[in-house]
Amino acid sequence: MSVAIMKTKAELALAEQFQSALPALPGGPEVAKVRQQAIATFGELGLPHRRIEDWKYTDLRTAFKDPAPPSAGDAAKLTVGDLIVALGPYMDLDAPRIVFVNGHYRRPLSNLAGAEAVIVSPLSEKFERLTPAQSDAVTSLNTAFVTDGAVITIPAGVTLEKPLLIVSLTAGKDARLSTVRHQIDAGADARATLVELFITLPGSSPDQQTNTLTTLTAGDRASITHVKAASDGGRATHLSNWIVALGAGTLYRGFQMTSGLALVRNEIAALYRGEHAKLDISGVFLGRSNDHIDTTLTVDHAVPHCESRELFAGVLDGRARGIFQGKIIVRPDAQKTDGKQMARAMMLSPDAEFDSKPELEIYADDVVCGHGSTVAEIDEDLLFYCQARGIPADEARAMLVESFIGEAIERVEHEGLRHCLMQTATAWLNALPA
Amino acid sequence: MLEIKNLHVKIAAEDKPILKGINLVVPNGEVHAIMGPNGSGKSTLAYVLAGRSDYEVTEGDILWNNESILGMAPDVRAAKGVFLAFQYPMEIPGVAGLTFLRTAANAVRKKRGQAEYTTPEFMKVVRERAAKLNIDIEMLKRPVNVGFSGGEKKRSEILQMAMLEPTLCVLDETDSGLDIDALRIVSDGVNALRGPDRSMVVITHYQRLLDYIVPDKVHVLAHGVIRKTGDKELAKQLETTGYAEFEGKAA
Ligand SMILES: Nc1ncnc2c1ncn2[C@@H]1O[C@H](COP(=O)(O)OP(=O)(O)O)[C@@H](O)[C@H]1O
Ligand SMILES: [Mg+2]
C-alpha cells in the first residue's frame, strides 16, 4: 500500500462525482459492484504523477486539475447536420457508423448499412458484465464511469469491406467527462478496418474531457486495421487506452492521430498470443501552444517469430510538448522476434519540447530489435530551394511538414482514410500562427 | 535585361566580403558565361540573384527589367522570371517530384496571372518536357532528387526550369558531374529555351559547356570582381592558360 498522500482537489472531486453519478450509470448491481471496486482502486492509487516511472513526463496530479462532471444521457441533442459538420471528410467515405454523443449511443445518428456482416451494438443496451481490464488509475476511472461504447464482433472468416466508424462526439456549452469503452472481437481470418473518431462539435465548450478504452482481440490470421483520430478539442483532455491481443499469424495495423487537444495520454498495450503475427503501429501527433501529447506504447513479444514496427511522427509548435515512450518486451521464449521502433519530432518553435524514452527489455538471445528517435527543424536550405521554385514560404513550410508526417500516414493502407487524416493535418497546419 | 551595379555582398552571419563591386549587364536574348577559379564568388552571385538570405548585399543593386529585385522574396523573384539551376540540387524526402513540379509551376502561373494547370494539362506538358530531357516519368513519382545520380539531378533542374518558363536563367555549374551524353541532353534543353526574351547567365568552371551553349560574352570572376570580359574566344584561351593570371589578389 502506498504512503498516504494528500488527495488533490481533482481526486476528491472524482470520488464525489462518482457517488452522485452511480445511480444513473448503466448496468445492474453486479456492474455497480465492479464500478465501486474500480473507484476504490483509483482512491488508493490517486492520479498518476511523475514519480511513477511510466508517468514521468505526464503528471496528471498537476496537469489534470478540474474534472468535469460526468455527462448524463440528456446532453446535447444533435442533428445529422451537426454530424456531417463534425465528420467533415470522413462523410465522403460513405462508411457505416455507430455514433456516441458525450458518451451515449445515438441511434438516429448511427447508420450501420454496409456492416451487416458484423455484429455491432452499443454497450449500454446489454450492460450485463463489466471487467476492470487493467488495474491502473486511468482504466479504473474508465471502469467506474463508463456509460457506453461499441461492442463489435467480426465473426470468423468475415470480411468487412468498408471501414466501420466508431464516432465519439463531444458537444454542449458545458464541459463534460465522457467515458466510453469499445470492445472489438475479431474471429479467425476476419478482415476489417475500424476507425475511432473523437471530435468536439464546433461551438461547444473547448474543455471537454474523454476517457476511452478499447480492447481488441484478433483471432488467428485475422487482418485488422485500427485507426484512431482525435482532433479539434480546443483545451480538451483525452485519456486513451488500447489493449490489443493478437492471435497466431495475424496482421494488425494500428494508427493514431492526435491534433488540437491540450492534454493527451495515448496508451497502447499490445500482446502477442500466437506466433508469426505482425503488427505495425504508427501515428502522428500535432501540438501547438501548451498542448501536451503523450504516447506510451508497450509491445509484449510473449511468443516467438513475431514482428513489430512502430513509427510515430510529431510536429510541435509554440510551447507544446510531445512524449514518446516505447517499450518492447521480448520474453525468454520469444526467439526470432523482429522489433523496430522509430519516433521523430519536428520542432517549429524553440520553446517546444520532445521527450523520447525507448525501452528494450530483451530476455531472449536470437532477436533483432532496434529503436531510434530524431528531432529536427524545418531545413532552411530546403525552404529556400522551394521558394526559389516559386513556392511561397508558408506553402513551402506546410509542404515540408506534410512530407514529414506523410511517412507515418502512408502506413495507413486505405486511401480514403489516408486522405481524411492528411486533410485534418493540413487544416491543423494552416491554422498555426505565422 | 539584367543590370548588376557595383554589387557588394557579404555572408550575413559574418563580416566576410565575397563580392566586391560586380558590374554586369545582360541584355534580353543574350547568354553570358561567368568563369573563374573555385572560391571566386560565382555561386554567391547566383544565390544573391535568387534571393538567398544567407547573404547580405552591402552596396549596389540588381535590376531585372528596370526594377530592383533586392527587396523581393525568392518566390516573388521566381514569379518575375528569375530561375537558378543549383550547383548542388537539393533532395526533398517525402515530396514526390510531380507534386513539387506542379506546386511550383502553378504557384508562378498564379502570380503571373496565368491560369493554373489542370491535372491533365500539367501531365501533358510535363511528359513532353521530361521526354526531351530523357527523364522517365516514373522517376518523377519518387521524392524530389532522392537517390538520383549527379546527372539525374542536373537534368531534373533543367526540367524544373522548363516547367517554370523563366526569363532569366542562371545556371550554376550545370555541367559538373555530367558525362558527354548527359551534357549534350542538358545543353539541348537549355538551348531550346534560348530566345529573344530570355537572358541567361551560365556559370562554369570549364570551357567544355560553352561548346554546346555558345555564349555572347564571357566574364572572368576572380576574388569577387569581374577581371576580364571577352567573347567565346576568351573561354578557349582560358582553357589553355588556366586561371593563373587571376590567382593573385585584385589590384
Ligand atoms: N554560406 C557561406 N558561408 C561561409 N562562407 C561562404 C559561404 N558561401 C560562400 N562562402 C565563401 O565565399 C567564397 C566564394 O564562394 P562561392 O561563391 O561558392 O565560390 P565559387 O562558386 O566561385 O566556387 C568562398 O571562399 C567560400 O568559402
Ligand atoms: Mg560554385
Side-chain angles (χ1 to χ4, degrees):
Chain A
M1 193 90 345
S2 57
V3 195
I5 323 170
M6 265 271 281
K7 292 222 178 298
T8 64
K9 215 179 96 211
E11 287 163 351
L12 294 170
L14 284 162
E16 261 171 49
Q17 284 167 358
F18 176 76
Q19 295 311 332
S20 42
L22 184 60
L25 289 170
E30 285 303 306
V31 169
K33 217 161 106 190
V34 176
R35 292 183 189 280
Q36 270 157 337
Q37 278 159 5
I39 201 75
T41 304
F42 173 74
E44 282 165 24
L45 296 171
L47 285 167
H49 50 82
R50 65 178 176 279
R51 287 189 306 280
I52 297 173
E53 185 59 21
D54 274 1
W55 290 83
K56 187 171 159 188
Y57 301 105
T58 301
D59 190 323
L60 287 189
R61 272 179 78 99
T62 52
F64 185 58
K65 286 223 168 64
D66 294 302
S71 82
D74 59 340
K77 292 268 178 286
L78 301 189
T79 63
V80 173
D82 295 324
L83 180 75
I84 291 171
V85 169
L87 288 186
Y90 289 94
M91 269 324 273
D92 300 334
L93 293 178
D94 194 24
R97 60 178 187 257
I98 179 165
V99 178
F100 302 87
V101 177
N102 294 347
H104 295 272
Y105 173 56
R106 283 289 173 265
R107 183 188 299 277
L109 300 182
S110 304
N111 181 352
L112 290 166
E116 289 80 5
V118 302
I119 305 155
V120 185
S121 62
L123 178 64
S124 56
E125 281 190 359
K126 46 171 194 159
F127 216 129
E128 285 148 12
R129 281 185 311 123
L130 180 62
T131 46
Q134 283 180 170
S135 56
D136 65 292
V138 174
T139 37
S140 294
L141 284 178
N142 184 280
T143 303
F145 285 100
V146 60
T147 47
D148 219 331
V151 182
I152 299 169
T153 306
I154 307 150
V158 162
T159 295
L160 183 61
E161 295 292 345
K162 290 197 167 176
L164 173 59
L165 306 185
I166 307 164
V167 184
S168 296
L169 296 179
T170 42
K173 288 194 302 295
D174 302 313
R176 288 285 177 265
L177 168 68
S178 302
T179 307
V180 291
R181 180 176 299 197
H182 306 308
Q183 296 164 22
I184 300 160
D185 191 357
D189 302 294
R191 303 173 72 87
T193 298
L194 304 140
V195 183
E196 298 180 32
L197 298 175
F198 292 87
I199 302 167
T200 297
L201 203 72
S204 305
S205 159
D207 295 303
Q208 304 293 347
Q209 298 173 359
T210 297
N211 183 328
T212 176
L213 170 71
T214 301
T215 56
L216 184 148
T217 311
D220 294 350
R221 297 171 308 278
S223 176
I224 304 296
T225 295
H226 185 194
V227 174
K228 178 174 82 119
S231 61
D232 300 330
R235 296 187 296 265
T237 297
H238 181 86
L239 304 174
S240 163
N241 268 283
W242 275 8
I243 303 170
V244 176
L246 305 179
T250 53
L251 174 62
Y252 174 81
R253 293 173 168 278
F255 184 89
Q256 294 196 338
M257 179 145 106
T258 306
S259 62
L261 300 167
L263 175 60
V264 180
R265 167 85 164 188
N266 287 323
E267 254 186 78
I268 304 174
L271 170 69
Y272 291 91
R273 284 188 182 150
E275 298 185 12
H276 299 286
K278 288 184 180 179
L279 78 72
D280 183 321
I281 300 177
S282 309
V284 166
F285 51 94
L286 307 172
R288 65 188 163 213
S289 59
N290 288 301
D291 295 352
H292 179 111
I293 309 172
D294 174 331
T295 301
T296 294
L297 209 68
T298 306
V299 176
D300 189 344
H301 284 271
V303 296
H305 296 287
C306 290
E307 184 187 290
S308 59
R309 293 284 179 274
E310 291 108 46
L311 173 67
F312 278 76
V315 179
L316 300 167
D317 192 24
R319 306 180 60 82
R321 189 164 181 203
I323 291 124
F324 181 82
Q325 306 190 99
K327 187 189 285 186
I328 302 177
I329 305 169
V330 183
R331 305 275 172 191
D333 288 341
Q335 301 296 358
K336 305 285 179 194
T337 288
D338 176 357
K340 285 195 186 67
Q341 189 182 84
M342 188 68 187
R344 298 187 218 276
M346 179 176 273
M347 319 302 268
L348 300 184
S349 133
D351 300 322
E353 185 178 330
F354 178 58
D355 299 292
S356 175
K357 189 180 76 174
E359 275 180 278
L360 301 181
E361 281 183 22
I362 301 177
Y363 304 104
D365 47 24
D366 187 10
V367 302
V368 183
C369 280
H371 63 80
S373 166
T374 61
V375 176
E377 286 166 25
I378 292 238
D379 186 330
E380 290 297 323
D381 291 342
L382 278 188
L383 201 57
F384 170 65
Y385 189 58
C386 294
Q387 278 187 279
R389 297 301 174 252
I391 305 170
D394 51 349
E395 220 178 296
R397 203 171 278 122
M399 189 170 82
L400 295 177
V401 177
E402 274 171 28
S403 75
F404 174 76
I405 57 178
E407 196 190 349
I409 293 182
E410 286 299 312
R411 303 268 191 127
V412 176
E413 283 188 322
H414 190 285
E415 195 188 341
L417 269 179
R418 269 205 313 272
H419 179 73
C420 292
L421 293 164
M422 204 34 136
Q423 234 173 290
T424 306
T426 304
W428 183 88
L429 286 170
N430 289 340
L432 284 181
Chain B
M1 182 166 70
L2 173 69
E3 294 164 88
I4 301 176
K5 295 180 171 172
N6 189 30
L7 186 71
H8 288 69
V9 172
K10 73 175 190 73
I11 294 161
E14 307 168 24
D15 268 335
K16 181 179 173 182
I18 303 176
L19 301 182
K20 303 159 188 164
I22 302 267
N23 288 290
L24 180 68
V25 175
V26 185
N28 287 358
E30 288 197 7
V31 174
H32 288 208
I34 295 181
M35 303 184 71
N38 280 328
S40 59
K42 302 185 297 295
S43 291
T44 301
L45 177 61
Y47 283 139
V48 170
L49 285 169
R52 191 170 187 143
S53 60
D54 306 17
Y55 301 97
E56 189 183 315
V57 173
T58 52
E59 212 183 316
D61 205 351
I62 302 173
L63 303 184
W64 171 236
N65 296 334
N66 302 316
E67 186 182 20
S68 172
I69 59 170
L70 287 185
M72 295 177 189
D75 54 299
V76 177
R77 299 186 196 197
K80 298 255 178 201
V82 179
F83 183 93
L84 166 62
F86 283 56
Q87 181 172 4
Y88 304 106
M90 288 174 202
E91 300 182 359
I92 317 181
V95 178
L98 285 171
T99 309
F100 183 69
L101 281 171
R102 186 174 170 185
T103 308
N106 278 342
V108 298
R109 290 179 73 85
K110 200 165 134 190
K111 282 211 201 85
R112 289 173 191 164
Q114 296 166 313
E116 293 181 42
Y117 284 127
T118 62
T119 306
E121 279 166 2
F122 169 77
M123 286 312 295
K124 184 170 173 284
V125 175
V126 81
R127 261 177 220 288
E128 270 170 26
R129 296 182 190 173
K132 282 205 185 106
L133 290 161
N134 215 0
I135 293 174
D136 187 351
I137 207 87
E138 287 304 313
M139 207 165 97
L140 299 175
K141 292 178 181 164
R142 305 216 307 255
V144 180
N145 291 334
V146 175
F148 287 16
S149 70
E152 285 170 336
K153 284 182 183 171
K154 295 300 173 82
R155 277 186 281 149
S156 148
E157 289 290 288
I158 302 305
L159 176 60
Q160 291 175 18
M161 182 162 101
M163 292 305 296
L164 293 186
E165 301 174 352
T167 42
L168 174 60
C169 305
V170 182
L171 306 174
D172 191 2
E173 301 216 19
T174 297
D175 51 335
S176 64
L178 294 185
D179 63 25
I180 201 75
D181 291 330
L183 186 64
R184 194 169 292 127
I185 292 167
V186 164
S187 306
D188 287 348
V190 173
N191 285 328
L193 291 172
R194 280 180 89 153
D197 299 326
R198 272 201 180 101
S199 306
M200 292 196 184
V201 176
V202 178
I203 294 169
T204 180
H205 191 69
Y206 303 103
Q207 184 271 335
R208 191 179 68 152
L209 177 70
L210 305 180
D211 286 340
Y212 296 92
I213 304 172
V214 180
D216 297 292
K217 278 198 173 132
V218 175
H219 309 276
V220 180
L221 179 63
H223 298 292
V225 288
I226 288 177
R227 295 282 297 277
K228 200 165 186 175
T229 293
D231 61 11
K232 60 180 194 283
E233 294 310 317
L234 174 58
K236 293 230 170 69
Q237 184 194 320
L238 286 169
E239 185 75 352
T240 46
T241 61
Y243 294 110
E245 178 190 346
F246 307 102
E247 296 288 323
K249 289 271 172 205

